[in-house]
Amino acid sequence: MEYYLSILDRGAYVEFDPIGWNHQWSGSMTDEVRAQRLASLIRQGYTRQLMLSTDTGRLSQLQCRGGRGFSYLWTHFLPRLRAQGVSGNDIRTMLVENPGRVATLV
């Protein structure tokens, strides 16, 4: 958590990515750990600096090709966040408001 806090305390944004990639290769974490960390950061007041992404960009990642698809975030990950006590308003902030704010910075 210190890694995230050192970034967030400087005012930067942190994107949790790639959600849904639970492989145990270097740098990877499970969605359960991601959800726990996000919930902790939200409870600490960093919601307006957090974003979420599944990094879905290849044909092989689409559901019609056997992948987890674009809906994975909604059907699998967001329920985990809600189970951790994350509100609908916090989720909207991470998915809509924060990316919109970042897009205006460029």
Side-chain angles (χ1 to χ4, degrees), residues 62-89:
L62 300 176
Q63 283 181 331
C64 65
R65 301 276 177 106
R68 68 188 177 287
F70 289 109
S71 65
Y72 180 90
L73 182 73
W74 300 94
T75 60
H76 291 81
F77 190 73
L78 294 183
R80 287 181 190 267
L81 282 183
R82 288 185 186 101
Q84 294 283 332
V86 175
S87 74
N89 286 336

Side-chain angles (χ1 to χ4, degrees), residues 18-65:
I19 292 170
W21 293 41
N22 292 306
H23 308 300
Q24 293 303 314
W25 37 266
S26 176
S28 178
M29 69 181 83
T30 65
D31 280 348
E32 187 60 32
V33 171
R34 285 184 191 96
Q36 291 168 357
R37 291 180 181 181
L38 274 162
S40 176
L41 293 169
I42 289 165
R43 284 191 296 272
Q44 294 177 60
Y46 294 103
T47 308
R48 289 180 51 87
Q49 293 169 256
L50 300 170
M51 294 184 290
L52 310 174
S53 174
T54 60
D55 199 25
T56 302
R58 296 183 191 152
L59 290 175
S60 63
Q61 295 168 337
L62 300 176
Q63 283 181 331
C64 65
R65 301 276 177 106

